[in-house]
Amino acid sequence: MKKRYNALNDYYRELFGEKTFKVPIDAGFDCPNRDGTVAHGGCTFCTVSGSGDAIVAPDAQIREQFYHEIDFMHRKWPEVRKYLVYFQNFTNTHERVDVIRERYEQAINEPGVVGINIGTRPDCLPDETIAYLASLSDRMHVTLELGLQTTFEETSRLINRAHSYELYVQTVKRVRQMAPKIEIVSHLINGLPGETPEMMLENVRRCVTDNDIQGIKLHLLHLMTNTRMQRDYHEGRLQLLSQEEYVSIICDQLEIIPKSIVIHRITGDAPRDMLIGPMWSLNKWEVLNAIDKEMERRDSYQGCRIADSEII
């Protein structure tokens, strides 16, 4: 059944003609607010692996990781033969451009690779790096997954994000000017400390109206073990969302996102042995089905409230 929103799987099938894997890779990059470039300690929600907890063989060489991952995926989908290399954890442009090029090229020339997805931050995209990414976009499909998480400066300081929303907006403009073929995907997290449902809706509104983006990822905050955010939770500054609250917020957000923007994610995955909560998030398909049912109950679809002056 076709979704009531512009789902990533449908987009990739249309773009590449068939089901396409995103192959997560740990390329050994660090993060500027972990190594002292802009801050120390990292974002308070981030684990020691920097969002790479599900990578099959993170310690292997990059090319070996690629084949470990696709062999694992082929157990479920043996017919898939097209791949997007996903440099996922930490900040995958936080290096000199010659180092970035050397690491990327270890995987993107493998058979079946049709594109590259790069997870990074707005403070790690100097002009020379954008120029290299622009050259890559002449060879293959390039997606820049640009972490934002929140548009509110108070929240950003609380989670140790260490960059401003204004910097984010300016970086998107520079990428769009220098590399017009690149697709930009913005990441937002629902459920950050102190943010109300109204603020989460405002995060999406600002993100899609202030920035020329082609995709968006909406994450549920996963409270993980051995993260600095545990302190917020234990000291009462963080209230975990219920499934009903999350489903309602996601549906409200989808209704104010333009139909042309691809929804790359509306929930997430977390390793069971590291997750403190919300535990209901482990039932991923139940959450996705609940979102579909709520959209159907509302007779709602992506972008349907854009004309509502009270929302936009």
Side-chain angles (χ1 to χ4, degrees):
M1 184 177 70
K2 189 169 178 59
K3 300 286 188 181
R4 288 174 175 255
Y5 54 88
N6 190 4
L8 181 64
N9 282 340
D10 295 335
Y11 174 66
Y12 279 164
R13 284 184 182 276
E14 182 177 346
L15 184 64
F16 300 116
E18 58 191 83
K19 185 175 179 64
T20 304
F21 282 157
K22 279 181 74 174
V23 184
I25 298 291
D26 182 343
F29 293 102
D30 207 334
C31 181
N33 70 344
R34 298 175 77 103
D35 66 9
T37 303
V38 297
H40 290 280
C43 296
T44 61
F45 56 79
C46 198
T47 66
V48 293
S49 67
S51 301
D53 302 298
I55 294 176
V56 173
D59 297 325
Q61 294 296 311
I62 291 173
R63 186 174 181 275
E64 292 177 37
Q65 286 185 53
F66 175 80
Y67 283 103
H68 277 299
E69 290 287 345
I70 65 173
D71 287 347
F72 180 76
M73 293 173 175
H74 282 156
R75 296 175 194 174
K76 187 172 183 180
W77 296 285
E79 74 283 0
V80 175
R81 290 294 179 269
K82 288 185 178 180
Y83 315 104
L84 296 159
V85 178
Y86 181 22
F87 290 99
Q88 180 180 14
N89 55 318
F90 293 123
T91 306
N92 293 276
T93 58
H94 183 43
E95 259 294 358
R96 301 189 317 272
V97 70
D98 59 312
V99 175
I100 294 168
R101 181 184 295 108
E102 187 273 333
R103 294 183 189 178
Y104 287 7
E105 298 287 340
Q106 290 182 50
I108 61 177
N109 296 310
E110 294 303 310
V113 173
V114 293
I116 180 174
N117 285 45
I118 303 155
T120 191
R121 292 165 49 99
D123 52 1
C124 292
L125 284 166
D127 286 354
E128 59 268 26
T129 299
I130 297 174
Y132 167 60
L133 300 182
S135 71
L136 278 184
S137 70
D138 291 330
R139 296 164 49 189
M140 62 183 59
H141 189 265
V142 176
T143 301
L144 199 61
E145 298 201 9
L146 198 55
L148 173 57
Q149 319 316 349
T150 181
T151 66
F152 290 94
E153 301 303 338
E154 181 180 353
T155 308
S156 185
R157 287 191 296 271
L158 187 61
I159 65 174
N160 196 42
R161 189 63 193 163
H163 69 73
S164 68
Y165 178 54
E166 180 58 29
L167 174 64
Y168 192 92
V169 172
Q170 293 305 316
T171 299
V172 171
K173 288 179 179 177
R174 281 197 303 116
V175 173
R176 186 54 56 233
Q177 291 166 357
M178 295 182 63
K181 292 182 182 178
I182 289 177
E183 294 193 356
I184 299 174
V185 178
S186 291
H187 288 215
L188 290 170
I189 297 178
N190 289 323
L192 289 171
E195 292 207 347
T196 64
E198 291 75 22
M199 292 170 73
M200 297 175 214
L201 197 62
E202 180 67 5
N203 280 329
V204 167
R205 189 199 67 78
R206 290 175 180 173
C207 191
V208 300
T209 57
D210 296 348
N211 301 282
D212 183 1
I213 62 171
Q214 289 67 53
I216 194 165
K217 269 189 174 181
L218 301 172
H219 295 261
L220 168 67
L221 174 68
H222 289 124
L223 181 62
M224 309 288 280
T225 58
N226 300 317
T227 60
R228 296 168 67 193
M229 192 168 281
Q230 281 180 271
R231 182 182 301 174
D232 294 319
Y233 181 63
H234 292 307
E235 294 181 359
R237 291 186 296 273
L238 172 63
Q239 300 296 319
L240 299 179
L241 295 172
S242 69
Q243 181 172 317
E244 292 74 19
E245 289 171 325
Y246 185 73
V247 167
S248 179
I249 289 164
I250 285 289
C251 293
D252 289 346
Q253 290 173 325
L254 289 173
E255 290 174 352
I256 65 167
I257 297 173
K259 295 179 184 179
S260 60
I261 291 180
V262 180
I263 308 301
H264 282 240
R265 177 167 286 178
I266 53 175
T267 187
D269 303 290
R272 181 181 294 270
D273 61 345
M274 297 177 66
L275 182 66
I276 297 172
M279 299 309 293
W280 56 261
S281 67
L282 292 170
N283 300 314
K284 182 177 179 178
W285 288 106
E286 181 179 310
V287 178
L288 292 172
N289 289 337
I291 292 168
D292 289 342
K293 289 178 181 178
E294 176 62 12
M295 295 291 280
E296 184 177 357
R297 186 194 70 78
R298 298 182 181 193
D299 193 20
S300 174
Y301 53 88
Q302 182 178 335
C304 68
R305 292 174 67 191
I306 285 180
D308 187 340
S309 60
E310 294 183 0
I311 300 298
I312 295 299

